[in-house]
Amino acid sequence: MTARYVLTSACLHSGTMSLIQPLRVYLRGKDRVVLRDEEGETYQVEVNWQLGRLEGLGPYYAKRRLGVNDRIVLHLEGETIGLEALAPSARPIRVRPPEGPKPQAEPPAEKRVRVTPYPKEVIFPHQPLPLEVPAFSADLEALGLVRESSGAPWVFRASLGRRTFYLALAKLGELPARELLAYRQQGRAEYAGLVAGESARQEALAEIAALRPSGLAQAGLVYLSPEALQRLVRLRRRFPVGPLDLERLLREGRVDLEAVQRLEDEVFGVLHERGHFSAVLTLLADQPPQQVFLLADLMPMAREMGLEADQLQSILENLCSPPFLLLKRLSPGEFLMRQSVEQALSDWAEYARVMLGRLQGVSLRP
């Protein structure tokens, strides 16, 4: 027996595969299973019944260089599941063997003279040395904040249209936590915090805790780790997170890897829904224009993609509305395919191009 599976961005990010109906039947009662790819390489994967997915497929996805909406044929026979990627780009990456070292002529010996420059403070004794801007400043600026100070506390401004908030930060040991707290209490910043690596988190939290009797929020100080800010920047490349998302974490008292992981889980839930939208477009690509079809006609393949009837119904209803207008709803569960998916995508791209041109024209007006 075979089944087809369409990859989503959530699958690729987590290295998982949803337990579509054929897999649920085949794997009933199993907690682990062996998968074998086209070249005979095997993968031991976990069957997570609670989350409804197979876990541990990341190495296979990377090896075959698979992308969103690429398809995999599952051969459900015997003790192992056969994997066959249908994507045209799914080819193993072949690494050229390293070449042997090439003989090189020995360079002639050079006489080097080492010159030690005068320290800047000796040449310009009355000019203060500029403070080094911390690395976390670039990450906060990448998230949409603007740095407004040239020394500790490092103050950042976040403009959110109708309101603005300020964030004052100092590295652990750079300023006493009490000075940061006073900076906030004077109304010069809505949030103030200590920045320290994840390995020094407990030390930073202990310094914050010493300022209040109980409860992190009562102190008015937050803890931030550079690793968490870097992870937020990487997340922004996939999804438009910004100052408002950061402020939500600041209100919770910590911007560390655990807090960012919770935000990532929410974001990838949204990306998973976008993957469902792409999967439905893939289903509709087989429907000719100006033909009537029923939701029930799509359900067998939809279930193989991990879609339930209510999810499919919701996406089809959205495709009936502007700006999509790909479908026309005739009756509950009955739709008319107005045009092909390829033509619709071309029309949507043209709409986006024209709209972008209008917006650029508005922004150029005096």
Side-chain angles (χ1 to χ4, degrees):
M1 181 175 67
T2 62
R4 285 187 296 173
Y5 189 86
V6 180
L7 288 172
T8 65
S9 58
C11 296
L12 294 170
H13 173 77
S14 59
T16 61
M17 178 181 291
S18 299
L19 290 176
I20 58 179
Q21 187 63 26
L23 280 175
R24 290 181 179 274
V25 174
Y26 178 81
L27 297 173
R28 186 172 299 154
K30 295 182 180 180
D31 295 324
R32 297 182 65 86
V33 66
V34 177
L35 280 68
R36 187 183 307 274
D37 68 13
E38 301 88 339
E39 298 177 351
E41 185 175 351
T42 58
Y43 307 85
Q44 297 277 348
V45 301
E46 300 280 345
V47 184
N48 191 328
W49 292 102
Q50 183 176 1
L51 297 179
R53 66 188 189 182
L54 295 179
E55 299 176 342
L57 282 157
Y60 174 71
Y61 296 159
K63 173 184 176 182
R64 307 301 291 176
R65 293 187 289 180
L66 297 174
V68 175
N69 290 334
D70 284 347
R71 300 190 181 195
I72 298 175
V73 175
L74 305 171
H75 299 278
L76 309 176
E77 299 175 1
E79 293 297 321
T80 63
I81 296 178
L83 299 172
E84 180 185 356
L86 300 181
S89 62
R91 299 186 299 270
I93 301 174
R94 304 188 183 278
V95 181
R96 294 181 60 184
E99 299 179 359
K102 297 180 180 179
Q104 297 180 354
E106 186 174 346
E110 296 181 359
K111 185 177 180 180
R112 297 184 179 181
V113 178
R114 183 174 182 180
V115 179
T116 303
Y118 279 103
K120 191 172 182 179
E121 58 269 23
V122 174
I123 302 175
F124 306 103
H126 302 295
Q127 180 176 341
L129 291 176
L131 292 177
E132 182 180 358
V133 178
F136 62 77
S137 175
D139 294 326
L140 286 170
E141 291 174 39
L143 291 171
L145 283 76
V146 177
R147 180 168 59 86
E148 297 209 328
S149 68
S150 56
W154 304 94
V155 180
F156 297 85
R157 172 174 51 85
S159 298
L160 298 173
R162 300 185 66 176
R163 70 182 186 87
T164 300
F165 73 83
Y166 289 84
L167 170 64
L169 298 174
K171 293 184 288 186
L172 181 64
E174 189 176 31
L175 277 182
R178 194 171 299 278
E179 289 189 23
L180 272 175
L181 180 59
Y183 196 92
R184 179 184 180 276
Q185 291 174 338
Q186 293 165 6
R188 301 167 71 183
E190 283 79 3
Y191 305 97
L194 289 177
V195 181
E198 292 283 331
S199 60
R201 176 173 60 175
Q202 294 306 320
E203 182 182 352
L205 291 176
E207 184 167 340
I208 293 173
L211 298 178
R212 45 79 172 141
S214 63
L216 190 63
Q218 292 181 10
L221 292 182
V222 297
Y223 162 71
L224 297 90
S225 77
E227 296 93 331
L229 293 176
Q230 292 167 9
R231 194 156 166 179
L232 279 174
V233 172
R234 289 196 297 270
L235 180 61
R236 184 180 173 86
R237 296 171 190 156
R238 294 171 172 251
F239 191 83
V241 297
L244 192 63
D245 302 286
L246 177 64
E247 185 181 31
R248 178 180 139 195
L249 300 181
L250 292 171
R251 286 175 176 170
E252 296 174 359
R254 295 187 189 184
V255 183
D256 56 10
L257 290 178
E258 292 180 7
V260 174
Q261 180 63 56
R262 292 194 297 271
L263 178 61
E264 282 184 342
D265 291 342
E266 296 179 13
V267 167
F268 286 115
V270 175
L271 292 178
H272 193 62
E273 294 179 5
R274 190 166 67 183
H276 287 166
F277 185 86
S278 300
V280 172
L281 287 180
T282 304
L283 285 176
L284 293 174
D286 296 331
Q287 297 290 330
Q290 294 301 313
Q291 296 294 309
V292 177
F293 67 92
L294 299 177
L295 181 145
D297 297 335
L298 303 181
M299 278 312 302
M301 278 297 297
R303 287 198 178 95
E304 290 190 12
M305 295 177 175
L307 288 169
E308 299 299 331
D310 57 339
Q311 295 172 312
L312 178 60
Q313 175 79 28
S314 175
I315 295 172
L316 293 178
E317 295 284 354
N318 287 335
L319 288 171
C320 294
S321 305
F324 304 116
L325 298 176
L326 174 62
L327 306 176
K328 180 178 181 180
R329 184 176 180 273
L330 302 178
S331 63
E334 184 181 27
F335 300 89
L336 169 69
M337 192 80 180
R338 291 179 184 268
Q339 57 184 162
S340 68
V341 171
E342 290 82 359
Q343 183 60 49
L345 289 172
S346 177
D347 291 347
W348 301 345
E350 178 64 17
Y351 167 76
R353 188 190 65 78
V354 172
M355 194 65 202
L356 180 61
R358 289 181 179 177
L359 293 176
Q360 291 173 339
V362 170
S363 63
L364 293 176
R365 291 178 184 174

